[in-house]
């Protein structure tokens, strides 16, 4: 299945026209909420697309925040974009706004936990930069008595020990945050019957020495099936992946076509996935004896969460 095609300008134009004509205050609020939802939706799309466009994603999320500055998810998504660009002050600001945003649309528990975790990282990176500036300024004249008095209040003397991004490794048995060293070293230690899914600059799947790069929705579909403890029907995938995770409706026929393309795209598909039946419906599951490891950032979210 080809990636869903969005036409944000057409939908935006229609909603803006409705908003301009509408006089009823309650109805105007409803239209504006739809407009904000549209901006957040397209911000997420351009962030997660197989060819990400961070500039477009930021533009739409900022448009949402212009209308509703305390929108938790818009702040959360924008914070991630700034974080990935190394703009930690902006990221920290928007993670904080996401956590203290509108209570009628709060972050879910996972998003809140990751916001707090990445706020810690933002603080570490900002502190590291400050330490560098301290080292530069120590070569210049300064009031030693005043500086020494404040120096005693510094909690971290070796900021390098903490300057690590949080990474996440998911297996059938565990889901843990790991150091950067572990994250990369474990990718070289896969067993012969272990599938590696890596979510970084792209969406990569590796098995038995073969490597395939997928578009984002196929990647998440494969991850969901490998992770599931029971066989997943097309309806299961449609509800979990498209309705709940991507927030849109597709037909069962479209899901079947996606799996047909996935099987053709992945040369080792039949080695890792088997098809069974639940009643009169086809279902897919991870083959017995096959394991997996998912490597991603701690901030990444999956359909089952």
């Amino acid at each position: 299945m080809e990636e869903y095609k969005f036409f944000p300008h057409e939908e935006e134009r229609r909603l803006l026209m409705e908003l301009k004509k509408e006089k009823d205050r309650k109805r105007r609020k409803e239209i504006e909420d739809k407009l904000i939802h549209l901006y957040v939706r397209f911000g997420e799309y351009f962030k997660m697309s197989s060819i990400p466009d961070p500039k477009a994603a930021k533009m739409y999320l900022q448009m949402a925040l212009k209308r509703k500055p305390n929108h938790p998810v818009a702040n959360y998504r924008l914070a991630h974009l700034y974080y990935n660009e190394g703009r930690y002050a902006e990221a920290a600001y928007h993670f904080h706004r996401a956590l203290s945003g509108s209570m009628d649309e709060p972050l879910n528990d996972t998003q809140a936990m990751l916001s707090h975790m990445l706020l810690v990282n933002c603080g570490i990176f900002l502190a590291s930069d400050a330490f560098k500036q301290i080292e530069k300024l120590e070569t210049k004249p300064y009031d030693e008595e005043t500086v020494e008095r404040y120096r005693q209040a510094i909690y971290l003397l070796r900021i390098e020990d903490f300057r690590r991004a949080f990474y996440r490794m998911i297996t059938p048995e565990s889901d843990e945050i790991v150091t950067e060293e572990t994250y990369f070293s474990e990718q070289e230690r896969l067993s012969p019957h272990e599938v590696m899914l890596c979510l970084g600059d792209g969406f990569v799947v590796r098995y038995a020495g073969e490597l395939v790069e997928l578009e984002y929705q196929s990647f998440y579909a494969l991850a969901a099936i490998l992770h599931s403890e029971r066989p997943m029907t097309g309806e299961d995938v449609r509800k979990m992946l498209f309705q709940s995770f991507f927030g849109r409706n597709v037909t069962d026929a479209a899901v079947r076509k996606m799996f047909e393309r996935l099987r053709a795209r992945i040369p080792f598909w039949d080695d890792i996935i088997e098809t069974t039946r639940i009643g009169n419906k086809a279902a897919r599951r991870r083959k017995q004896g096959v394991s997996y490891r998912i490597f991603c950032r701690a901030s990444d979210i999956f359909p089952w969460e």
Side-chain angles (χ1 to χ4, degrees), residues 71-96:
H71 191 285
V73 175
N75 275 293
Y76 177 76
R77 298 297 184 201
L78 187 58
H80 277 291
L81 290 165
Y82 284 133
Y83 183 87
N84 291 337
E85 293 176 354
R87 296 170 61 178
Y88 301 115
E90 292 99 323
Y93 172 80
H94 285 287
F95 277 129
H96 179 72

Side-chain angles (χ1 to χ4, degrees), residues 16-247:
L16 287 172
M17 188 67 70
E18 285 186 30
L19 189 63
K20 185 178 180 179
K21 293 179 179 178
E22 186 59 58
K23 303 299 182 184
D24 182 75
R25 181 179 297 180
K26 183 178 179 181
R27 177 58 185 152
R28 285 179 61 84
K29 171 73 166 52
E30 291 174 354
I31 296 170
E32 187 162 42
D33 285 344
K34 288 182 180 179
L35 193 59
I36 292 167
H37 178 75
L38 175 109
Y39 290 146
V40 174
R41 175 186 169 201
F42 288 118
E44 292 174 343
Y45 170 74
F46 286 112
K47 178 180 181 289
M48 297 175 63
S49 171
S50 58
I51 306 177
D53 188 342
K55 184 177 179 180
K58 281 189 290 187
M59 179 187 72
Y60 282 110
L61 292 170
Q62 287 164 347
M63 289 167 72
L65 292 174
K66 186 175 181 180
R67 291 182 175 273
K68 192 170 186 178
N70 65 342
H71 191 285
V73 175
N75 275 293
Y76 177 76
R77 298 297 184 201
L78 187 58
H80 277 291
L81 290 165
Y82 284 133
Y83 183 87
N84 291 337
E85 293 176 354
R87 296 170 61 178
Y88 301 115
E90 292 99 323
Y93 172 80
H94 285 287
F95 277 129
H96 179 72
R97 290 299 296 267
L99 289 164
S100 57
S102 171
M103 287 299 98
D104 59 335
E105 305 176 83
L107 300 180
N108 62 38
D109 290 342
T110 301
Q111 291 169 334
M113 174 67 78
L114 293 177
S115 293
H116 283 297
M117 289 168 60
L118 292 177
L119 265 174
V120 171
N121 255 20
C122 289
I124 290 172
F125 284 122
L126 290 170
S128 179
D129 289 338
F131 265 75
K132 289 180 180 178
Q133 296 304 315
I134 288 172
E135 292 174 358
K136 290 179 182 178
L137 291 170
E138 282 179 338
T139 63
K140 299 180 179 181
Y142 58 88
D143 183 337
E144 292 188 16
E145 183 178 346
T146 301
V147 170
E148 285 304 314
R149 187 166 69 249
Y150 281 92
R151 196 188 297 274
Q152 294 175 16
I154 296 176
Y155 292 103
L156 300 179
L157 297 178
R158 288 182 51 82
I159 195 69
E160 297 84 1
D161 293 341
F162 298 90
R163 197 180 178 193
R164 295 173 178 172
F166 283 136
Y167 291 89
R168 183 181 180 193
M169 191 169 69
I170 305 169
T171 69
E173 296 79 26
S174 65
D175 184 342
E176 57 184 325
I177 302 300
V178 297
T179 65
E180 185 176 13
E181 291 85 352
T182 300
Y183 177 83
F184 288 107
S185 64
E186 287 298 315
Q187 292 182 30
E188 304 304 321
R189 298 176 185 169
L190 294 177
S191 70
H193 299 289
E194 196 168 33
V195 185
M196 183 191 86
L197 296 92
C198 190
L199 201 170
D201 294 331
F203 301 89
V204 173
V205 181
R206 194 174 82 195
Y207 181 75
E210 295 188 82
L211 185 148
V212 177
E213 186 163 355
L214 301 176
E215 48 84 24
Y216 77 98
Q217 61 189 24
S218 296
F219 178 90
Y220 284 113
L222 177 60
I225 291 171
L226 289 171
H227 177 77
S228 178
E229 295 181 357
R230 62 178 182 81
M232 295 188 70
T233 64
E235 183 179 2
D236 293 331
V237 173
R238 178 174 59 79
K239 289 180 178 179
M240 174 192 282
L241 188 66
F242 291 97
Q243 289 184 358
S244 297
F245 191 59
F246 294 135

Side-chain angles (χ1 to χ4, degrees), residues 268-291:
F268 45 81
W269 175 266
D270 290 331
D271 297 324
I272 63 173
I273 301 295
E274 65 180 5
T275 301
T276 183
R277 301 200 73 80
I278 298 178
N280 62 349
K281 296 180 179 179
R284 297 163 183 83
R285 65 185 174 193
R286 173 164 44 96
K287 270 193 170 181
Q288 188 173 2
V290 172
S291 187

